[in-house]
Amino acid sequence: MRRIALLAALALPLFAAQGAAAETFRFTAIPDEDQARLVERFGKVADYLEERLGVEVEYVPVKSYGAAVTAFRNDQVQLAWFGGLSGVQARRLVPGSRAIAQGSEDARFQSYFIAHESTGLERADALPEAIEGMSLTFGARTSTSGRLMPEHFLRQRFDDADPEALFSRVGYSGDHSRTIALVEAGTWDLGAVNYSVWDAAVADGRVDTDKVSVIWATPEYPDYNWTIRGDADERFGEGFGDEVQAAFLEMEDPELLGAFPREGFIPADNALYAPIEEVAETLGLLR
């Protein structure tokens, strides 16, 4: 039976006893979209993992990227669907933890810069100088595709200019769905979003492309990943981490994969995210 546990954003209580936690394998995911969509999506993943692994599996929703990392650090979850940056943060905090899988698209991920129709901007091969002085919203402050890499490419394009100096206003919407909605409404001139969230929203008819459109796609970079705690084998049995990895690599149900959306999962390791760690260090986003 699917179990979903609701935890508060940053004040997440520790489980009372190690033994009790070991009876259930818990995972979370960064809240990069509307919460209701995430609960539906990852509840199905919990059902799949429970059947594959032979243990009780519970999806634990959280309210922020930081809360996902905190839950992982505090052993309230043993597995997480992280973005590139949040995965780096979590693995630094829990030695021995490892990235075990990524979507086949995640090795070549991209961000889109989107613009409200009132800007008059159209899609181009480079960010136009005309964006200077406009308003821009990123996604979450620690989002790889909604802030880290978009800021990195902005700085490359505009001689390392701080976004606060480049734009009239800079904001942080919290997630990609809100970024799209805010730019579509004209609250912000520009936004930086995860390309897969945008493409799925357009395909589902949830975006009015007469009001908001893509003006530039970034170069590719590594992003989302499943990361498992280094003590999972000790907690759930020798080879358990490899079984979890195999469960994702062998996931074939189109409905499950479409919920991400990904065509499939491929092996991942910590070394793949060295470029993300390097950019985060440069921007001062790692402590």
Side-chain angles (χ1 to χ4, degrees):
M1 178 185 298
R2 175 177 26 174
R3 289 177 169 83
I4 299 174
L6 294 172
L7 296 181
L10 290 174
L12 304 176
L14 290 173
F15 295 121
Q18 186 87 341
E23 296 176 3
T24 300
F25 182 57
R26 294 177 169 88
F27 74 96
T28 194
I30 54 170
D32 58 354
E33 287 193 78
D34 174 78
Q35 191 65 260
R37 292 176 63 84
L38 293 178
V39 168
E40 178 182 4
R41 161 177 157 185
F42 287 108
K44 294 175 182 177
V45 174
D47 289 342
Y48 169 77
L49 290 176
E50 187 164 288
E51 182 177 350
R52 279 292 305 251
L53 301 174
V55 298
E56 290 188 355
V57 178
E58 189 172 79
Y59 165 55
V60 181
V62 292
K63 293 184 178 179
S64 71
Y65 282 54
V69 173
T70 297
F72 190 84
R73 179 192 65 194
N74 290 347
D75 196 21
Q76 294 160 297
V77 298
Q78 293 76 52
L79 173 75
W81 177 240
F82 285 128
L85 176 56
S86 50
V88 167
Q89 292 172 322
R91 292 190 293 272
R92 280 189 165 203
L93 291 168
V94 186
S97 298
R98 60 189 178 106
I100 57 172
Q102 61 177 191
S104 54
E105 296 84 350
D106 291 307
R108 52 183 192 279
F109 215 76
Q110 291 180 289
S111 296
Y112 287 157
F113 279 81
I114 59 175
H116 189 261
E117 55 86 20
S118 63
T119 64
L121 297 174
E122 297 181 352
R123 188 155 187 162
D125 293 333
L127 281 170
E129 292 185 0
I131 67 173
E132 293 190 58
M134 294 184 180
S135 62
L136 169 82
T137 183
F138 292 115
R141 290 180 182 273
T142 55
S143 169
T144 306
S145 54
R147 190 277 176 91
L148 177 71
M149 298 311 292
E151 179 171 341
H152 170 65
F153 293 119
L154 274 170
R155 288 176 178 270
Q156 280 191 341
R157 173 70 176 85
F158 292 97
D159 298 322
D160 202 32
D162 188 315
E164 296 284 350
L166 186 64
F167 298 102
S168 61
R169 289 186 298 138
V170 173
Y172 298 90
S173 71
D175 67 54
H176 303 292
S177 298
R178 280 197 287 271
T179 295
I180 294 170
L182 288 169
V183 177
E184 181 178 316
T187 306
W188 297 88
D189 296 321
L190 307 166
V193 300
N194 169 324
Y195 89 96
S196 67
V197 173
W198 169 270
D199 287 350
V202 171
D204 292 345
R206 291 181 281 117
V207 181
D208 185 344
T209 52
D210 289 333
K211 294 182 178 178
V212 57
S213 60
V214 175
I215 61 167
W216 186 62
T218 69
E220 297 172 349
Y221 56 85
D223 200 357
Y224 287 74
N225 59 95
W226 286 106
T227 288
I228 193 166
R229 283 180 59 94
D231 57 2
D233 282 13
E234 181 181 344
R235 295 276 302 283
F236 296 94
E238 176 134 8
F240 184 79
D242 291 339
E243 291 179 17
V244 175
Q245 181 184 45
F248 287 115
L249 300 185
E250 295 168 14
M251 183 183 285
E252 297 178 345
D253 185 335
E255 184 179 7
L256 282 177
L257 293 171
F260 281 89
R262 299 293 188 276
E263 292 183 1
F265 288 99
I266 60 177
D269 58 52
N270 296 357
L272 292 175
Y273 296 91
I276 297 297
E277 189 166 9
E278 182 180 349
V279 171
E281 288 277 15
T282 300
L283 297 182
L285 297 179
L286 291 175
R287 296 192 295 272

